[in-house]
């Protein structure tokens, strides 16, 4: 009875980032390392640095957006004054569909800068003569409430993630293009070398 031979496949060893860095700076003394291998390692190391730089830029951008949003909210709070206005007409829905929670109504109010009036946001269905709390700036004009911290954090996160996506996509595209050119160069070099070696290896002159 014959015994079937079993073969075990071993995955090809992968070059770690540390090995790529050593090869890129010329510390890999392996005699089988080709110039094209060193160039590829430099490409991998450059991609790693680009990814790190992208994360730093995204973090800085997010912090700047958060700082600017926080400053704007603080300025709104500092110059926003809450008064009671009285609507002078019925609320008009902001949406053509009935039952929309967003609506505006004409209103009048009194402020140290003098009496004022304008259109203010109110719940849909608010009748005329309703007292509504409204925020005014130093000039007595209606202003919205300052953005909450959650909204500022959301804006900062979107900017950070967008920066990572755009710069990361550009880096990956550049890496893929350079790798394709490098592989094409290696293939062309292998073909030229084989044309010189093949006649002597095969015995054909």
């Amino acid at each position: 009875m014959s015994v079937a031979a079993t073969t075990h496949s071993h995955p090809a060893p992968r070059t770690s980032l540390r090995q790529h860095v050593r090869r890129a700076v010329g510390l890999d003394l392996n005699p089988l390392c080709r110039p094209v291998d060193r160039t590829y390692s430099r490409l991998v190391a450059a991609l790693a640095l680009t990814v790190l730089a992208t994360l730093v830029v995204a973090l800085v951008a997010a912090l700047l957006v958060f700082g600017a949003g926080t400053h704007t909210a603080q300025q709104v709070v500092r110059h926003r004054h809450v008064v009671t206005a009285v609507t002078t007409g019925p609320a008009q829905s902001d949406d053509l569909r009935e039952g929309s929670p967003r609506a505006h109504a004409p209103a009048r109010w009194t402020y140290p800068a003098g009496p004022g009036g304008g259109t203010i946001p109110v719940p849909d269905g608010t009748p005329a003569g309703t007292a509504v709390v409204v925020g005014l700036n130093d000039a007595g004009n209606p202003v919205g409430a300052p953005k909450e911290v959650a909204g500022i954090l959301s804006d900062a996160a979107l900017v950070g993630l967008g920066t990572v996506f755009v710069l990361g996509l550009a880096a990956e595209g550049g890496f893929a293009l350079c790798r394709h050119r490098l592989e094409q160069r290696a293939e062309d070099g292998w073909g030229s070398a084989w044309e010189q070696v093949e006649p002597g290896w095969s015995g054909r002159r």
Side-chain angles (χ1 to χ4, degrees):
M1 182 176 63
S2 61
V3 180
T6 59
T7 59
H8 299 278
S9 60
H10 298 280
R14 297 183 61 182
T15 304
S16 65
L17 179 59
R18 181 180 179 182
Q19 291 173 312
H20 277 302
V21 173
R22 286 177 57 85
R23 184 179 298 169
V25 298
L27 296 180
D28 187 351
L29 303 180
N30 188 342
L32 298 180
C33 183
R34 303 167 298 172
V36 68
D37 296 326
R38 291 191 178 89
T39 302
Y40 178 72
S41 291
R42 294 190 184 101
L43 183 62
V44 172
L47 177 63
L49 290 176
T50 302
V51 170
L52 180 60
T54 297
L55 295 177
V56 172
V57 171
L59 178 60
V60 171
L63 290 176
L64 289 176
V65 170
F66 180 78
T70 301
H71 176 74
T72 300
Q74 291 174 346
Q75 290 296 107
V76 171
V77 171
R78 187 175 303 166
H79 298 281
R80 185 172 183 265
H81 312 278
V82 178
V83 299
T84 300
V86 178
T87 58
T88 58
Q92 299 292 328
S93 176
D94 293 345
D95 199 319
L96 296 178
R97 298 172 299 179
E98 294 183 0
S100 172
R102 297 177 301 176
H104 283 76
R108 301 291 297 177
W109 55 81
T110 301
Y111 184 66
T119 302
I120 60 174
V122 295
D124 190 30
T126 300
T130 302
V132 180
V133 175
V134 63
L136 305 176
N137 59 18
D138 293 336
N141 300 317
V143 292
K147 182 172 290 188
E148 297 181 355
V149 176
I152 299 174
L153 285 173
S154 177
D155 293 342
L158 288 176
V159 170
L161 293 175
T163 302
V164 170
F165 177 78
V166 173
L167 296 183
L169 188 64
E172 182 63 27
F175 175 80
L177 179 61
C178 292
R179 182 177 60 183
H180 174 73
R181 292 179 177 177
L182 192 61
E183 291 175 347
Q184 187 64 43
R185 189 200 312 174
E187 184 176 348
D188 295 342
W190 183 90
S192 301
W194 178 248
E195 289 178 357
Q196 298 176 4
V197 173
E198 189 273 337
W201 177 80
S202 63
R204 179 173 58 84
R205 299 295 181 182

